Amino acid sequence: MSITLTDMAANHVRKYIDRRGKGVGLRLAVKTSGCSGLAYALEFADEATPDDFSFESKGVIVFVDPKSLAFLDGTELDYVREGLNEGFKFNNPNVKDQCGCGESFQI
């Protein structure tokens, strides 16, 4: 089981945590949402919880709760800039279908 970050994603997370002045990593989860059923939830983590799985990638710790891990195993998190837009992109090998707007997905 693994969650990985690209160099761009890891650099972005480290810079943001430094600017915040606190944080131990990134928390990644899935929630029920959107027209395809599931959506990613991403936030900066100030501490680990006892049930978290943790993955270290390029100097960043990613925390995942047990329920989300089955949906996220093998995911690579990237940070992309396309024109004036920038943000995280999820390369999840488990996704079977996603909605047209890209906000939600199915496993």
Side-chain angles (χ1 to χ4, degrees):
M1 301 209 139
S2 71
I3 307 291
T4 59
L5 280 76
T6 64
D7 289 334
M8 286 286 291
N11 289 337
H12 181 76
V13 171
R14 282 192 301 269
K15 286 179 188 175
Y16 193 85
I17 289 174
D18 287 345
R19 274 188 262 150
R20 282 180 82 220
K22 63 179 182 176
V24 295
L26 196 63
R27 183 171 308 284
L28 179 58
V30 295
K31 61 182 180 177
T32 303
S33 179
C35 49
S36 290
L38 297 170
Y40 298 105
L42 189 63
E43 65 184 15
F44 291 93
D46 293 331
E47 61 184 30
T49 62
D51 293 338
D52 283 339
F53 287 91
S54 63
F55 303 92
E56 189 277 330
S57 179
K58 299 185 184 338
V60 173
I61 299 173
V62 180
F63 300 100
V64 180
D65 67 87
K67 291 180 183 178
S68 296
L69 186 57
F71 302 107
L72 297 170
D73 184 32
T75 296
E76 177 189 61
L77 186 58
D78 194 6
Y79 191 81
V80 297
R81 291 188 178 121
E82 296 171 347
L84 298 175
N85 298 318
E86 62 183 86
F88 287 103
K89 179 180 178 185
F90 301 88
N91 299 314
N92 185 341
N94 304 302
V95 171
K96 302 293 183 225
D97 193 21
Q98 64 184 22
C99 68
C101 66
E103 290 294 319
S104 63
F105 62 96
Q106 284 181 331
I107 300 290

